[in-house]
Amino acid sequence: MLTSRALVRGFKIGFWRPLSSTSSLQAVHGKDMSADVLDCTAPQYNNRLDTPLPDVPFVRKLNSEQKQLKDKEKGPWTKLTKDEKIALYRLTHELSFPEMRKGSDEWKSVLGGVFIFLGLSGVLVWWQRVYVFGEVPHTLSEEWVEKQTQRMLDMRVNPIGGFSYYWDYEKKQWK
Amino acid sequence: MFRAVVRLSTSGVRSLARTRPCNSVPLASRCYSHAKVETDEEFDARWVTYFSKPDIDAWELKKGMNTLIGYDLVPEPKILDSALRACRRLNDLASAIRILEAVKDKSGPYKDIYPYLIQELQPTLSELGISTPEELGMDKL
């Protein structure tokens, strides 16, 4: 009991300490955050069918070649080649409309995984039935069930809605 | 012209059925909003004016376009023409192509709207040098 509690405490410290210490370090040293921490107050790029023009362009840091292309964009667009036009589009947008609409085949993997696990469960259940469960009670044997059925018919069990209703007492057979 | 005009009524029929025998006809009254309904021409004119602003800035273009795409309609060619010229003033070819993609997507199952729009916009597209997504091969994956 005591050992498990110590274990839990140790686990908690081990889990939280790295997180808390890095943030306290950062607070001490000022704006020392790693580059891939997302600032959620600034506008973000998104691919949305209902928002065709995103808030910010996809590529914001342009290298010199891209900057040259952007300068060429300020002139007549008739002078741009097809590849340059496509490149300009891709600078501002990550995915085109057909790419956004594409969808994926992930559902097949998901369904496959579901069936695999259902199958494994089925195997477990079968194994359990065969190797774990003992014999079935004697009241389910053929002989007993026959005698039981006859007794139920003699008692007129459910003569209106079911069971005895389906037995033809004159002809002594099921209807 | 391509707009699905939906006139919303604020509530259904209110019928007053009196129980007195002499007045067996129910009185029906409808409740419509009393706001003035904008005509299609006024709507188009408003948007053409919006995009025709000479010193339109990038944010206004984005805001206008995203709002326009949010409506339940495909914009008229004259609105799109105005928007494409605004892209030209802002030196933004990518947005011009994106606008064409967006209206094609907006047409949904009505496949003959987009060819009509391109046909109407062809003079502007040639003048400004805007290639359609089809010409750039971007309509196929």
Side-chain angles (χ1 to χ4, degrees), chain A residues 52 73 75 85 89 95 101, chain B residues 88 93 98 101 105 131:
Chain A
E73 199 186 9
K85 289 181 185 175
Y89 181 92
L95 298 174
R101 282 221 174 255
Chain B
R88 174 65 266 192
L93 175 64
R98 191 72 156 182
E101 275 191 317
D105 190 76
S131 302

Side-chain angles (χ1 to χ4, degrees), chain A residues 51-55 73-75 77-78 82 85-86 88-89 92-93 95-102, chain B residues 62 65-66 69 87-88 91-95 97-98 101-102 105 126 128-131 135-136 138-139 141:
Chain A
T51 315
L53 303 182
D55 295 336
E73 199 186 9
K74 294 183 183 150
W77 291 338
T78 41
K82 277 200 184 156
K85 289 181 185 175
I86 296 176
L88 281 167
Y89 181 92
T92 324
H93 305 288
L95 298 174
S96 68
F97 268 69
E99 285 165 5
M100 277 195 268
R101 282 221 174 255
K102 192 166 60 147
Chain B
K62 282 188 273 222
M65 211 53 231
N66 292 337
I69 292 295
C87 289
R88 174 65 266 192
N91 299 323
D92 193 353
L93 175 64
S95 294
I97 303 173
R98 191 72 156 182
E101 275 191 317
D105 190 76
S126 314
L128 298 177
I130 302 172
S131 302
E135 286 167 11
L136 296 174
M138 291 182 62
D139 57 328
L141 281 168

Side-chain angles (χ1 to χ4, degrees), chain B residues 6-48:
Chain B
V6 176
R7 300 273 181 247
L8 293 170
S9 59
T10 51
S11 72
V13 175
R14 230 191 337 181
S15 57
L16 308 165
R18 306 278 165 95
T19 52
R20 282 181 305 173
C22 57
N23 192 356
S24 55
V25 176
L27 277 168
S29 67
R30 280 169 194 265
C31 294
Y32 282 134
S33 150
H34 293 293
K36 180 173 160 300
V37 178
E38 188 181 48
T39 66
D40 290 359
E41 291 76 24
E42 286 168 351
F43 177 88
D44 293 344
R46 189 161 56 84
W47 277 103
V48 169

Side-chain angles (χ1 to χ4, degrees), chain A residues 2-119:
Chain A
L2 288 169
T3 50
S4 65
R5 195 177 293 172
L7 262 172
V8 167
R9 166 115 47 87
F11 171 71
K12 275 192 195 156
I13 291 174
F15 182 67
W16 289 113
R17 180 166 288 161
L19 286 171
S20 59
S21 62
T22 46
S23 60
S24 62
L25 266 175
Q26 284 165 4
V28 166
H29 292 287
K31 277 278 182 186
D32 207 5
M33 292 175 12
S34 53
D36 51 3
V37 173
L38 195 62
D39 178 8
C40 292
T41 58
Q44 293 168 19
Y45 177 79
N46 53 56
N47 290 307
R48 289 185 63 111
L49 294 168
D50 60 1
T51 315
L53 303 182
D55 295 336
V56 290
F58 180 55
V59 177
R60 280 204 267 178
K61 295 197 186 58
L62 300 170
N63 60 33
S64 64
E65 192 187 304
Q66 290 164 336
K67 283 200 185 112
Q68 277 179 344
L69 188 57
K70 277 286 183 189
D71 284 330
K72 200 172 173 193
E73 199 186 9
K74 294 183 183 150
W77 291 338
T78 41
K79 298 230 172 41
L80 293 168
T81 66
K82 277 200 184 156
D83 289 327
E84 286 174 335
K85 289 181 185 175
I86 296 176
L88 281 167
Y89 181 92
R90 290 290 176 189
L91 280 178
T92 324
H93 305 288
E94 183 192 8
L95 298 174
S96 68
F97 268 69
E99 285 165 5
M100 277 195 268
R101 282 221 174 255
K102 192 166 60 147
S104 72
D105 281 343
E106 192 191 357
W107 67 273
K108 295 179 189 167
S109 316
V110 169
L111 208 58
V114 166
F115 287 145
I116 287 172
F117 280 106
L118 282 176

